[in-house]
Amino acid sequence: MAHNKKKPVDPRGPHVRIYWELIDSVAWRSLGYASQSLFLLMRRKLMGTNNGNISATLGDLKHYGWKSSSTLAKALKELQLLGFIAVTRQGGIAFGQKVCTLYRFTDVDVYEFPKLGFGPIAATNDWKKFASLAEADAALALTEENNSGLRISKRIGSESEA
């Protein structure tokens, strides 16, 4: 009797895989709901070998109900600070064209992308560095303080120029 060596196919199609270790971590528990939602939507783009080539633009996410660029920016910042994602290419102007920032998931290996300018990266699992909920919350609180300080200084600067 011949054995079928084909990989089994899920009849419901592709899916997002997130291990319990990640969801049960203190870093995940510190994330806001918008950040958790963004993680899932970004993970939806992971196809096996494209980690490091994941974008999260407002244009991409409008289809899923994202409307606020500030909410998106805050969620991306939280995911980075708590070690779930890391930047592989900073967005901006390159070769006269606008390019978006690209990210990698820290719990998945990255394969080489010569066209994008980065080599292989082993999974770093940066989210594991938080030993307690208080430590993760403190990292987020520090960022919120820095962001509010920036808003205040911008407001003061604009008032003094008027």
Side-chain angles (χ1 to χ4, degrees):
M1 180 179 210
H3 289 358
N4 186 357
K5 293 189 179 196
K6 284 188 177 181
K7 200 174 184 183
V9 176
D10 189 328
R12 294 175 291 174
H15 58 277
V16 173
R17 176 173 283 183
I18 303 171
Y19 292 97
W20 292 357
E21 179 185 31
L22 189 141
I23 291 177
D24 293 340
S25 71
V26 293
W28 183 265
R29 291 180 10 220
S30 291
L31 286 174
Y33 289 122
S35 301
Q36 291 176 354
S37 171
L38 179 60
F39 182 88
L40 293 174
L41 292 173
M42 290 175 72
R43 197 64 165 230
R44 158 74 175 82
K45 295 179 177 187
L46 187 63
M47 298 299 189
T49 60
N50 68 327
N51 191 25
N53 190 16
I54 307 292
S55 64
T57 65
L58 192 57
D60 292 342
L61 296 166
K62 281 187 177 184
H63 176 70
Y64 295 102
W66 285 74
K67 296 177 177 110
S68 169
S69 59
S70 61
T71 302
L72 176 58
K74 182 181 178 193
L76 284 167
K77 193 67 164 169
E78 280 188 13
L79 288 170
Q80 289 176 73
L81 286 170
L82 292 176
F84 293 102
I85 62 172
V87 173
T88 52
R89 180 186 75 190
Q90 187 60 50
I93 304 294
F95 307 110
Q97 291 191 338
K98 230 175 150 177
V99 295
C100 65
T101 300
L102 296 177
Y103 302 92
R104 69 176 175 93
F105 293 103
T106 65
D107 64 315
V108 179
D109 291 340
V110 174
Y111 295 95
E112 186 173 16
F113 272 97
K115 288 183 180 179
L116 296 174
F118 56 89
I121 304 168
T124 56
N125 293 302
D126 298 337
W127 50 273
K128 287 184 176 182
K129 71 181 175 186
F130 297 98
S132 70
L133 197 54
E135 191 179 321
D137 287 343
L140 292 178
L142 181 62
T143 302
E144 288 176 14
E145 287 175 24
N146 289 343
N147 287 344
S148 64
L150 287 174
R151 280 193 293 271
I152 291 168
S153 65
K154 284 181 182 177
R155 215 176 313 128
I156 291 170
S158 62
E159 287 174 2
S160 63
E161 291 172 3

